[in-house]
């Protein structure tokens, strides 16, 4: 295969070999320039003096003889000039559009637009909006006046910026192009180049066209294009030839070099392969490369990445059999872990909130999630390991984890910088990460300190790639430090971040490799003028190749069209040319795309694939077109036992007995019945749930809040022994909102009840409690004697198992034990809804399902409460009735009930259990003990293993469902 650059190199050598060193050869890019030099060396049979070979932008910059400023310097210059027109212009607002305006200026100049006409048109176009008849005779508002004057200010700024830069012999890119275009006739006469040769160009700007045409007029230029009949046909709708067709018809060149017919006549294999996800493309590209190399060990192959984020997956998938390959695009610094750390640091300082403190001062507080993500970043964790290894830093060992644990333990939703520095014991790392930033000086100081702290780690634990990240980041901070150091205007945090991220976006980590390697990994633009026999292109999806239609200009679309400025249409045309030109000489082409997903518009095939399939492949019989889908082949399968069985060996039985002796509570009983494995994880294995900071009140905390408010109200009556009367409840109703707010703050330890979902939950809590207290005030339950609050009742039940008597402690923690009339009640509060039907148990269910079916959980709870209450009333009535001396024990009717705050109209709900009459205590107790004995024997039966439940509803809220793969 003869490449385009080999063709041009041979042509140039044969035509100009007598004075080849006096040529100036211009190509689309530096990469193409390098390949052309190599092709020229191959074309020349003897050593030669190389001509000057350069990319187009380098060529223009050299001719302009001016310094092209960096975008950041230009933005600062532009801001100073804009402030002259509008002294009230805010810098933070300016940086959001300043860069786009500079790009507009550059495009205006590159395309040699008449600036006065452009701004006049813009002003007139805006003036048309004023001529709406409904506004005739009405004064224009100050806001509208400012809007209409915007483009007048921009025009003045444009001219002032040009004057200032020219005075300092500086320019931006477009300005350099305009300068060369305006002086090209003089440059052509004075130039030391005997002949200019432009190779492989496309999508030229107006200034580039003027420069080339002027040189052609002076007989000092030759243009060599790379085109193909497929997209050069006059009637074709294919955008790939949009620019070249125009040049061919209007430039009137003596001869058009070259137009070939490769796409319609050459034999090609084109495979279109759909993959399940983006990262899978890297693996597949590696496999395709391996197949190509097996057929031809020295095959020229290019892996093209329109999406640069796939570079690492591709590099990790390159086969070991490929010893040398060249990566031309570099790894984006934005894809490094260090950038992620910097991004998290800015997130901490920009996503907090300002809260008014009790002292009256406003304090800026960081959000706990941002702080935790930052402190758990791999770089910070690596620093923690390093710190823990320092013998002189014993007091700081484990410090970072201690701070994270403290935030969770205190449920600190928002944390101030001062609190973090205090928790971090003023350690330099915490000073660096969390000290408040006021302006760019503070940020730069923090960045230098962070680099120095991490440098200590990697000087003791060398890591080449991460050390490289640090060094490159240091150079970026140094550049910004130099730019901002002398400025009076202090850059804010958001503006500094924008400038820093612009630098980071343009920064690449270079890879060392053999430039003329058989395997090239490159971006789409780097392929200009290059050819490969084997091409693998990834991400051939709409919105990646071609890129999405973006309007990246401050000027309206109609203005761009009117003045010949580039739009997304021109961008698509240029990308289409790059795509088809890459296919012209290729023999084997693999196009990878991501298959459609459930997301609308995601994974759509690129239009380029459809054009190949329904146009080119049909017109060229030499094309073998395959539409394939990649499948994952599982090499090894592992058997997974869905069930988890834990046999009750001697050790497990011993632990179960210990738990029963500690206490069999209603919650433990229900947990074992619902899922014995959950009971095992919780009570035997002691696997604890992970604590997390709760920003809003969860259902458990909401219940705790309601319980605590009622406890606070009822506690004085429990302590004094006085009954609660209607007047007491009325006073509680007055104090209710303040009491709920106070308990809210205690329960959540940091979450505010004044905003968001917490505010709604606060209102719900007040409403629920208000409704209950009003009902209590008007009920016949008063006078109400409160005997116990949040107290545990227990009774010992001896159970004989396998010749051993186990003293099982049946226990229950009662929310409230009270006395109304002659009814002694154990009350359990429920913030969820409970219906009467949930507490009804039929006689046949009592024998068969009562201690095995999940649906009886609430009835079982009341049953156990009542059993323990009656046992206590039998064995120690004085202790239970200490606040009810006026009642004799034999007159008391013991009951247990649930108070459902979502079903208050039904009052206290009592379980209907078929144990006989309530007065027949002996019958109830003996029947209950028989049920409990049977249940304990079942728990301790070694033949019945511990296993997970088959009821998936139980698993829905289980903290251990991850272990069970549920």
């Amino acid at each position: 295969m003869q490449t385009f650059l080999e063709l041009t190199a041979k042509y140039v050598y044969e035509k100009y070999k007598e004075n080849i060193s006096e040529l100036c050869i211009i190509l689309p890019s530096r990469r193409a320039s390098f390949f052309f030099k190599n092709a020229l060396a191959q074309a020349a049979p003897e050593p030669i003096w190389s001509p000057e070979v350069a990319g187009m932008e380098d060529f223009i910059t050299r001719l302009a003889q001016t310094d092209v400023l960096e975008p950041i310097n230009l933005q600062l210059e532009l801001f100073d000039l804009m402030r002259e027109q509008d002294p009230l212009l805010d810098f933070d607002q300016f940086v959001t559009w300043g860069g786009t305006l500079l790009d507009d200026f550059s495009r205006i100049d590159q395309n040699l637009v008449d600036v006065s006409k452009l701004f006049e048109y813009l002003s007139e176009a805006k003036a048309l909006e004023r001529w709406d008849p409904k506004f005739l005779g009405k004064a224009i508002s100050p806001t509208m006046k400012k809007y209409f004057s915007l483009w007048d200010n921009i025009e003045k700024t444009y001219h002032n910026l040009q004057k200032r830069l020219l005075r300092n012999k500086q320019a931006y890119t477009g300005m350099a192009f305009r300068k060369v275009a305006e002086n090209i006739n003089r440059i052509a006469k004075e130039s030391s180049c005997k002949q200019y040769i432009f190779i492989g160009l496309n999508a030229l700007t107006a200034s580039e066209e003027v420069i080339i045409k002027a040189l052609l007029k002076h007989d000092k230029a030759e243009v060599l294009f790379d085109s193909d009949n497929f997209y050069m046909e006059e009637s074709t709708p294919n955008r790939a030839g949009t620019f070249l067709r125009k040049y061919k018809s209007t430039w009137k060149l003596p001869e058009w070099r070259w137009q070939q017919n490769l796409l319609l006549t050459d034999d090609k294999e084109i495979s279109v392969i759909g993959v399940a996800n983006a990262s899978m493309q890297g693996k597949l590209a590696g496999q395709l490369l391996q197949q190509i190399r097996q057929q031809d060990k020295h095959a020229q192959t290019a892996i093209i990445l329109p999406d640069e984020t796939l570079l690492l997956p591709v590099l990790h998938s390159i086969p070991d059999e490929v010893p040398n390959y060249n990566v031309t695009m570099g790894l984006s610094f934005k894809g490094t872990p260090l950038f992620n750390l910097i991004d998290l640091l800015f997130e901490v300082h920009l996503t907090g909130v300002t809260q008014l403190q009790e002292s009256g001062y406003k304090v800026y507080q960081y959000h706990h999630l941002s702080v935790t993500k930052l402190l758990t970043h791999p770089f910070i964790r690596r620093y923690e390991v390093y710190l823990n290894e320092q013998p002189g830093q014993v007091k700081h060992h484990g410090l970072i984890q201690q701070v994270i644990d403290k935030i969770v333990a205190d449920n600190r939703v928002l944390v101030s910088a001062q609190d973090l520095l205090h928790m971090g014991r003023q350690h330099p790392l915490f000073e660096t990460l969390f000290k408040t930033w006021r302006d760019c000086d503070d940020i730069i100081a923090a960045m230098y300190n962070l680099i120095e702290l991490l440098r200590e780690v990697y000087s003791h634990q060398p890591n080449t790639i991460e050390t490289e990240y640090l060094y490159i980041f240091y150079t970026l901070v140094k550049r910004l430090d130099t730019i901002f150091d002398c400025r009076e205007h202090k850059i804010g945090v958001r503006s500094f971040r924008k400038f820093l991220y612009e630098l980071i976006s343009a920064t690449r980590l270079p890879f060392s490799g053999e430039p003329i390697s058989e395997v090239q990994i490159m971006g789409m633009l780097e392929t200009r003028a290059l050819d490969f026999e084997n091409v693998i292109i990834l991400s051939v999806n709409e919105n990646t190749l071609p890129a999405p239609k973006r309007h990246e200009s401050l000027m309206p679309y109609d203005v761009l069209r009117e003045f010949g400025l580039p739009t997304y249409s021109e961008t698509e045309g240029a990308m289409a040319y790059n795509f088809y030109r890459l296919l012209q000489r290729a023999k084997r082409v693999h196009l990878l795309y991501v298959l459609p997903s459930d997301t609308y518009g995601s994974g759509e095939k690129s239009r380029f694939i459809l054009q190949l399939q329904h146009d080119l492949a049909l017109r060229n019989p030499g094309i073998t077109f395959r539409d394939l889908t990649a499948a994952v082949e599982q090499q090894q399968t592992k058997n997974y036992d869905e069930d988890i069985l834990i046999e009750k060996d001697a050790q497990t039985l011993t632990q179960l007995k210990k738990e029963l002796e500690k206490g069999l509570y209603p919650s433990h009983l229900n947990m074992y019945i619902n899922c014995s494995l959950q009971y095992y994880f919780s009570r035997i294995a002691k696997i604890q749930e992970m604590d997390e900071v709760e920003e809003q009140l969860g259902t458990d905390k909401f219940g705790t809040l309601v319980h605590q408010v009622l406890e606070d109200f009822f506690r004085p009556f429990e302590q004094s022994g006085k009954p609660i009367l209607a007047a007491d409840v009325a006073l509680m109703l007055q104090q209710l909102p303040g009491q709920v707010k106070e308990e809210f703050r205690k329960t959540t330890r940091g979450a505010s009840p004044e905003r968001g979902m917490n505010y709604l939950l606060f209102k719900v809590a007040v409403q629920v409690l208000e409704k209950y207290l009003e009902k209590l005030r008007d009920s016949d339950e008063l006078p109400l004697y409160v005997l116990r609050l949040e107290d545990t009742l227990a009774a010992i039940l001896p159970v004989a198992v396998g010749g051993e008597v186990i003293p099982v402690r049946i226990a229950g923690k009662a929310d409230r034990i009270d006395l109304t009339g002659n009814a002694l009640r154990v009350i359990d509060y429920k913030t969820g809804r409970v219906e009467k039907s949930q507490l009804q148990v039929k006689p046949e269910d009592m024998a068969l399902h009562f201690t095995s079916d999940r649906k009886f959980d609430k009835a079982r709870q009341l049953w156990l409460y009542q059993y323990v209450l009656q046992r206590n009333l039998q064995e120690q009535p004085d202790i239970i009735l200490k606040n009810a001396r006026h009642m004799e024990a034999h007159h008391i009717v013991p009951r247990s009930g649930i108070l459902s705050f979502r079903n208050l109209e039904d009052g206290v709900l009592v379980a209907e259990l078929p144990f006989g009459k309530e007065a027949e205590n002996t019958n109830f107790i003996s029947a209950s003990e028989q049920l409990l004995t049977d249940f304990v024997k079942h728990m301790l039966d070694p033949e019945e293993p511990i296993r997970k439940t088959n009821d998936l509803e139980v698993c829905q809220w289980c903290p251990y469902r991850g272990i069970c793969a549920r």
Side-chain angles (χ1 to χ4, degrees), residues 848-866:
L848 298 174
H849 308 298
F850 187 60
T851 56
S852 60
D853 195 325
R854 181 169 66 89
K855 72 178 182 180
F856 298 119
D857 56 346
K858 292 179 176 61
R860 278 193 299 269
Q861 187 175 3
L862 294 185
W863 162 59
L864 275 190
Y865 278 143
Q866 188 157 336

Side-chain angles (χ1 to χ4, degrees), residues 66-69 77 164-166 168-172 175:
T66 53
D67 293 330
V68 176
L69 288 181
E77 292 280 358
R164 179 178 289 192
L165 293 176
L166 284 172
N168 298 326
K169 293 186 177 179
Q170 297 170 327
Y172 49 83
M175 189 176 162

Side-chain angles (χ1 to χ4, degrees), residues 199 210 336 420 569-570 615 624 635 640 787 795 846:
I199 298 174
V210 166
T336 65
L420 282 165
S569 178
E570 282 73 20
D615 186 9
T624 304
Q635 299 291 340
Y640 172 65
L787 309 185
M846 178 62 67

Side-chain angles (χ1 to χ4, degrees), residues 268-470:
K268 300 180 188 296
E269 294 179 16
I270 300 177
S271 300
V272 175
I273 308 172
V275 299
N277 55 61
S279 59
M280 187 177 166
Q281 294 180 99
K283 188 73 175 173
L284 182 55
Q287 291 177 2
L288 292 171
L289 177 60
Q290 191 169 24
Q291 290 175 11
I292 292 167
R293 300 278 291 187
Q294 285 171 355
Q295 294 174 11
D296 180 359
K297 192 174 182 181
H298 301 290
Q300 295 286 329
T301 307
I303 300 177
I304 316 297
L305 308 179
D307 179 4
E308 65 177 23
T309 61
L310 293 178
L311 178 57
L312 282 179
V314 168
L315 292 181
H316 287 305
S317 302
I318 299 291
D320 295 335
E321 300 85 61
V322 181
N324 295 312
Y325 55 89
N326 188 46
V327 183
T328 64
M329 54 197 303
L331 176 65
S332 169
F333 192 82
K334 227 170 183 178
T336 65
L338 183 57
F339 170 74
N340 180 246
L341 175 65
I342 303 306
D343 195 41
L344 289 174
L345 188 55
F346 275 100
E347 183 183 328
V348 165
H349 287 269
L350 290 174
T351 58
V353 296
T354 303
Q355 279 206 326
L356 186 66
Q357 304 297 296
E358 293 180 2
S359 59
Y361 291 101
K362 287 184 177 179
V363 175
Y364 187 79
Q365 295 184 306
Y366 306 133
H367 195 271
H368 74 96
L369 279 179
S370 301
V371 172
T372 304
K373 281 193 288 185
L374 180 61
L375 291 177
T376 53
H377 187 276
F379 271 72
I380 303 301
R381 285 298 197 192
R382 181 72 66 87
Y383 181 83
E384 183 180 28
V385 171
Y386 161 77
L387 189 64
N388 292 344
E389 291 172 351
Q390 302 308 304
Q393 296 280 344
V394 176
K395 66 176 182 178
H396 291 131
H397 287 184
L399 178 63
I400 295 172
Q401 189 58 47
Q402 289 169 20
V403 171
I404 295 170
D405 293 343
K406 178 74 173 168
I407 290 171
V408 174
D410 294 347
N411 206 66
R412 300 291 294 273
V413 177
L414 298 169
V415 198
S416 69
Q418 199 58 42
D419 289 341
L420 282 165
L421 294 178
H422 176 70
M423 286 190 277
R425 301 174 207 157
Q426 310 297 324
H427 188 275
L429 178 70
F430 283 84
E431 293 268 356
T432 298
L433 297 179
F434 301 115
K435 197 172 180 182
T436 306
W437 292 345
R438 293 162 299 179
D439 52 42
C440 63
D441 288 339
D442 291 337
I443 304 172
I444 288 172
M447 296 300 170
Y448 279 141
N449 290 339
L450 181 61
I451 291 167
E452 184 59 30
L453 287 167
L454 295 176
R455 189 190 64 78
E456 290 179 31
V457 178
Y458 293 110
S459 62
H460 290 79
Q461 302 170 358
N463 184 304
T464 308
I465 187 72
E466 293 179 354
T467 307
E468 183 74 10
Y469 296 158
L470 279 176

